[in-house]
Amino acid sequence: MPTFRVTIMLKPGVLDAPGQAVEHGLRALAYEVEHVRMGKVVDLTVPESMRPRVVEMCERFLANPLVETWQIDERETAS
Amino acid sequence: MPTFRVTIMLKPGVLDAPGQAVEHGLRALAYEVEHVRMGKVVDLTVPESMRPRVVEMCERFLANPLVETWQIDERETAS
Amino acid sequence: MTWGVIVFPGSNCDRDCIHVLRAVAAQDVVEVWHADRQLDGVDALVLPGGFSYGDYLRSGAIAATAAIMPAVRAFAASGGPVLGICNGFQVLTETGILPGTLMRNAGLRFRCMPVFVRVESADTPFTAALPPGAVLRIPIAHGDGRYLADPSTVSSLEADGRVVFRYCDAVGRTTSGSNPNGSMAGIAGIANAAGNVVGLMPHPERAGEALLGSTDGLRLFESAVAWLHARRAVLQGTAR
Amino acid sequence: MTLAAPTDAATRAGLSARDYREVCARLGREPNLIEARMFGVMWSEHCGYKHSKKALRRLPSSSPRVLTGPGENAGVVAIGGGWALAFKMESHNHPSAVDPYNGAATGVGGIIRDVLAMGARPAALLDSLRFGPLDEPRARRLFGGVVAGIAGYGNAIGVPTVGGEVLVESCYRDNPLVNVACLGLVRADRVATSAAAGPGNAVLYAGARTGRDGIGGAAFASAELDEQREAADRASVQMGDPFTGKLLIEATLEALGTGAVLAEIGRAAAGLTCASSEMAARGGAGMHLDLDRVPLREAAMRPDEILLSESQERMLLVVRQADAARVAAIYHRWGLCAEVIGTVTAEPRLVVESRGRAVADLPPEALASAPAYDPEAEIPGEIEARWDLDGAPLPAVDPADALLRLLRHPDIASKRAVYEQYDHMVGLRTVVTPGADAAVLRVLEAPPLGVALAADGNARWCTADPRRGAALAVLEAAANLACAGAEAVAVTDCLNFGNPERPQVFWTFLETLDGIADACRALEVPVVGGNVSFYNEAEGFGGTRAVSPTPVVGMAGVVEDVARTAPPGFVRDGDLVVLVGEVGGTLGASLYARVVTGEVRGRPADPAFESSVRAIVLVRDVVRAGLVTSAHDVSDGGIAVALAEACIHGGRGAWVALPPQAAASLGEALYGEGPGRFVASVAPAQLDAFLALGHAREVPVQVLGTVGGDALRIATHEHSIPEIDMPLDVITAAYHSLEV
Ligand SMILES: Nc1ncnc2c1ncn2[C@@H]1O[C@H](COP(=O)(O)OP(=O)(O)O)[C@@H](O)[C@H]1O
Ligand SMILES: [Mg+2]
């Protein structure tokens, strides 16, 4: 069955509070960081028949189009 | 400056409650899914000098080595 | 009147809402199970607070897929009063019944404390009996309460009087300090275009008895009851 | 029979040579590896109480109200109106040191299930936390992580966290302590039991699936923590899922409502092994389990992994065969697993079957009753050395400056930054929210009845004198309750110590138990449950020290009318400020001495049980009678800090005079610590009644001054210039300086 990695990030304009917190945390540990953004990944293993509907799953459910963008990558199928 | 995408997933054996819930949600929407795992991504833009220390950032701060694994991919540098 | 309180897996304020409606507001209440498909004989609906499905993925996102939601949508479309409290508000935005979304608090922390909100609109069943500008003391308890929508949506919400509650201080001033979570325009609650569906982050059921520090929240439920009685009278009038 | 030498199996199972020989003696044979592993966890200190069992008998555990004492999942005590409370405290120290978020979160989940297992609806949580100095990054990380973990689990599961403690001492630097107590409410005639009975009855597994979580975690919790072990033990951290935990509460209460559940137990520590053997042992019965029927999260789990898994959010129930399907259906409706995995048998054998063959066959009693040791006890030299410093002069410090330093100290400073992260209101029971001396919950089911809760412990007092320190902690908890007008009815305790095999540690353990016992007898309140956590000492992390003896006392009291409690803060200008008890106290082992000398020196106050209890009872009664407008007990930082807190809570100042002749020094008058003392405020018209009652009860009651103004002014005489004259906003800012 195909496995897809859906990567969901906040749209550029949207305040990424968790990302900022991580940025501060890293600086507090004396690392130099320029910029941090946080996001989610969802690894989906679905039957072949669902392949055409993965985009729809993202639009309808996995991501919130109002504030999030997503990217779908197919991963080498685990047999 | 180099940008790294850190992808953090729960270790295979660890309970993935969010993944289970998402699986449930997709089924409720009448999608067939075999398996879902959830994880986090952190996009890190750091000065060149920090390149060698990104692994350390993951171990010490970004991931919880007790329950999570992570993978670091360098992304084409945004100018 | 008969109220329906929806019980999602992970709802944890359902029993609190039922208590206030039954024991304090003297209403009939039915628990509505998330897996049911019908809403029979309810005059008003509450989507309670909690952590439906653990709030995994996004707060309210998975509950929005529950079997009961089509019936909720239909009830809302038919003009029935619907109140979404905290997680219930998040469910309503996730279903698109209300616009916008609720993001992680700007301070990143879960916050549980009494706050003040100003009533901005009397054009909903839950505020019809409240003087606009009234300041209510109602507790919040949430980690994802920062209201966010695109600017055009917010300005139309403002223009159409659909911002129902705004965070304020004890005397009704909106200050940066009075906004507990970084919500746009200090928005604490909004309504749909018809005004019959209201979502808010504060917990009116936690301000239902003097013993718990405030009865301001009870006024929302009482307002809706009065509104329902008035509507019933009108309908009977027209029926006759 | 053979006195076998510890085999490789024994060591792999974590059994000492001594315990292994005991196992063989009890079995009359050598255990197989799986059996050895089962003994290994059940006989770990955490589950087996090998070093504490005998000593715990020193605690009084009975009262006319007690329905279930120590020995069950949690103690149960009648509170009137046909209702009872279930109460229990647990430690999750080692897991929290390794993984603060998940360690604290699973600690909350575990104690909630102990209370649920008594048939009670979990109604409130308390958390007692101990960390190293908060200016150190590691302590900060632990503090933040633990609080986030408690919030993350407690908020989602819908049980309010209504109180607790945060104390800071260097001895907790490498050994943070996380103790969590849960209170539940149950109808007195509906209390559940964990004693398996009725041969032929079904053993029902309910809740989450079993995975490879925290294999051997129970043993891990009792192993001394050092850096190598931390690495090796990583597999042992458990992850909680509050969502499933919430479903488990609702499904279990619904199942109990049907009356079909004969017994139940909620276990994570030592998992199925602990649950099955304790249920069987408590019922004097046996059990036959088929591991092939256990719902698994991962394929190909070995029998010992299934038996020892500490996967969270699971319960074990005993139901009649005829009811099994009906009860399982309830759990399924809530989206949970429910499978019959075995039967209760008459013969006291725990027989575990996997793939058609028996992999273990053990007497449950042998598993459930680990050997009880009599460790040696020896008074540590440094204790008397500290006492010798009693009364030794302290460096002179400006009293006003000292007050600010005390108010900023994490032990005293407001914990608002912590409890604002906890949902302390869900359930609509919290009548008095965190921040007051005791939290008050209403018993919605039996108005106007209420329950008051407090948790107390004091590292300094117990370091200097464990017996006095433990007794003072119990008295302080009772004093906290009195301010809410509550009568103490139940104590649960968590005893956090170092390695009990070291006589100096064990001496402090025994002293602590005696101190708790003395105080509980004086108050006539039983200890209905608790927990012992040994081996809180670490090599590495740049430290080798054990924690100070740290008893944490959780106390529950009955409030007859939740509308009749007193706030800690002054409420009205013109009210009179009254001191109940004596001026003075002692600077021995006081926070003041700690702050100005940087060390714990001297000896804490004598508990003076009779006079202290008289004062506590007086305050409880005047609060109930509505004779006072506020009441606040005098604790860390003495009268000066108590007055400051009353001003800060009430948002108004006060002008008071402390008769200095009553104390050895100004410092002692202001900052001396001792039990049985309260700062109250009273309307002038009520003063005479109050004084008369104090006289009749033989409790000193004196007027110190008047509420009002925007500053706290403390003078030595009515008309002298104040020694302390601090604007309200200054002391308020200092008091609210703690950040998480
Ligand atoms: N410090 C204590 N004081 C009183 N009772 C205790 C104490 N420690 C443990 N107990 C009792 O001993 C029994 C076993 O304790 P424990 O193993 O902590 O229970 P659990 O397995 O639920 O954690 C429990 O009933 C507990 O109440
Ligand atoms: Mg225990």
Side-chain angles (χ1 to χ4, degrees), chain D residues 138-178:
Chain D
R138 182 163 183 269
R140 279 254 154 230
R141 263 205 310 286
L142 288 166
F143 186 24
V146 164
V147 169
I150 292 170
Y153 200 101
N155 295 349
I157 203 169
V159 179
T161 303
V162 299
E165 293 182 293
V166 179
L167 270 74
V168 165
E169 261 299 339
S170 51
C171 67
Y172 304 118
R173 180 178 280 125
D174 302 327
N175 307 277
L177 302 183
V178 176

Side-chain angles (χ1 to χ4, degrees), chain D residues 45-49 52 56 59 61 69-75 87-91 110-111 114 266-267 269 274 278 282 491-495 509 513 516 527-533:
Chain D
E45 191 59 42
H46 174 78
C47 294
Y49 285 79
S52 58
L56 288 174
L59 298 171
S61 60
E72 265 289 359
N73 300 289
F87 199 29
K88 175 77 189 292
M89 186 169 340
E90 268 289 336
S91 64
I111 192 61
D114 279 346
R267 263 308 179 294
C274 181
E278 282 191 11
R282 289 173 190 172
V491 162
T492 180
D493 62 334
C494 226
L495 305 177
F509 182 71
L513 284 171
I516 293 172
V527 178
V528 296
N531 184 61
V532 178
S533 171

Side-chain angles (χ1 to χ4, degrees), chain C residues 131-213:
Chain C
V135 175
L136 309 180
R137 185 171 191 270
I138 303 181
I140 56 166
H142 60 250
D144 295 337
R146 175 165 56 100
Y147 184 77
L148 182 69
D150 49 53
S152 59
T153 306
V154 171
S155 40
S156 64
L157 285 174
E158 298 278 13
D160 307 346
R162 290 170 56 190
V163 173
V164 183
F165 301 103
R166 206 184 305 270
Y167 297 110
C168 64
D169 65 13
V171 294
R173 285 175 315 219
T174 54
T175 69
S176 62
S178 66
N179 182 343
N181 52 27
S183 291
M184 280 176 100
I187 289 174
I190 59 170
N192 64 344
N196 61 304
V197 179
V198 171
L200 78 168
M201 288 314 295
H203 285 268
E205 81 279 10
R206 296 185 184 190
E209 292 158 280
L211 195 56
L212 299 182

